Amino acid sequence: DAKTTQPPSMDCAEGRAANLPCNHSTISGNEYVYWYRQIHSQGPQYIIHGLKNNETNEMASLIITEDRKSSTLILPHATLRDTAVYYCIVRVARTNAGKSTFGDGTTLTVKP
Amino acid sequence: DVKVTQSSRYLVKRTGEKVFLECVQDMDHENMFWYRQDPGLGLRLIYFSYDVKMKEKGDIPEGYSVSREKKERFSLILESASTNQTSMYLCASEAYHSPLHFGNGTRLTVT
């Protein structure tokens, strides 16, 4: 599975949109982009995933560039509870397990 | 809602002890994983399994073994615990074409 690159930290004002970037320049055609977040002392929580189209759910939106080499997770109205480490990973959906490489992620701090 | 349950939240063991970390999922997922998480090193994959009695090494399998006798249960075994195995251990499961679901972790301290 391809590797990803994320900025180590970002700040965002409460109520504003948080835009978290991820580079995955070596992504293959059959690899999905997944986003997770980890709030302190809990396990990572799934947020959203996509292949090539933009995706939206109740938590966030995912924008994938046309060449699929990068993506952005958007939290439209960040709250203090969105302070967490956000991980972007790419992997193939398949019947047998594949290695999912989690980097250090981006620590998002939402400030009042 | 998928539930991945890890048997202990905190565990303290002595050097040389045999340690069992248990993980159970309730959604009939085929794939299960064990990660460890250390500051500055992110999540690192120890072992994974895509079927009962099947296992594959991840990136850092040394010093660990696993057991999957039933589909819902995946155990991580530290044959002889050492202080450098002090860490947060995370179990996860997934079905084909679904995201990973993680447990809340076991913080293991080896003294």
Side-chain angles (χ1 to χ4, degrees), chain A residues 32 34 36 38 41-44 46 87 91 93-100 102-104, chain B residues 9 31 33 35 37 40-43 45 48 50 59 90 94 96-97 99-100 102-104:
Chain A
Y32 288 72
Y34 283 82
Y36 295 81
Q38 186 174 24
S41 77
Q42 296 182 19
Y46 165 77
Y87 297 99
R91 62 177 306 201
R94 51 191 172 206
T95 52
N96 60 320
K99 296 182 183 183
S100 287
F102 285 75
D104 287 334
Chain B
R9 197 85 165 93
N31 304 335
F33 304 78
Y35 292 87
Q37 184 173 33
L41 296 175
L43 277 76
L45 182 63
F48 60 99
Y50 55 85
D59 298 317
L90 289 159
E94 67 171 8
Y96 172 60
H97 220 285
L100 286 166
F102 285 85
N104 275 333

Side-chain angles (χ1 to χ4, degrees), chain B residues 49-97:
Chain B
S49 167
Y50 55 85
D51 202 352
V52 175
K53 297 194 187 294
M54 305 298 287
K55 61 185 179 184
E56 289 199 25
K57 293 180 180 179
D59 298 317
I60 52 162
E62 297 78 20
Y64 303 93
S65 62
V66 290
S67 171
R68 191 156 181 214
E69 296 296 318
K70 293 185 178 181
K71 193 174 185 180
E72 68 270 19
R73 187 180 295 271
F74 193 35
S75 303
L76 181 69
I77 303 155
L78 287 66
E79 296 290 341
S80 177
S82 64
T83 54
N84 63 12
Q85 293 178 310
T86 291
S87 186
M88 168 72 89
Y89 290 88
L90 289 159
C91 175
S93 74
E94 67 171 8
Y96 172 60
H97 220 285

Side-chain angles (χ1 to χ4, degrees), chain A residues 31-49:
Chain A
E31 285 184 312
Y32 288 72
V33 180
Y34 283 82
W35 282 84
Y36 295 81
R37 73 179 182 186
Q38 186 174 24
I39 296 169
H40 183 61
S41 77
Q42 296 182 19
Q45 174 194 23
Y46 165 77
I47 301 172
I48 199 167
H49 74 285

Side-chain angles (χ1 to χ4, degrees), chain A residues 15-76:
Chain A
R16 303 297 292 268
N19 297 286
L20 293 94
C22 179
N23 285 323
H24 30 80
S25 57
T26 61
I27 193 169
S28 302
N30 60 351
E31 285 184 312
Y32 288 72
V33 180
Y34 283 82
W35 282 84
Y36 295 81
R37 73 179 182 186
Q38 186 174 24
I39 296 169
H40 183 61
S41 77
Q42 296 182 19
Q45 174 194 23
Y46 165 77
I47 301 172
I48 199 167
H49 74 285
L51 183 62
K52 53 185 177 182
N53 297 321
N54 298 337
E55 302 286 345
T56 296
N57 63 20
E58 65 278 3
M59 290 181 70
S61 295
L62 174 61
I63 309 296
I64 302 174
T65 58
E66 196 167 335
D67 63 6
R68 303 209 324 120
K69 292 185 177 181
S70 66
S71 60
T72 301
L73 178 75
I74 301 171
L75 308 177

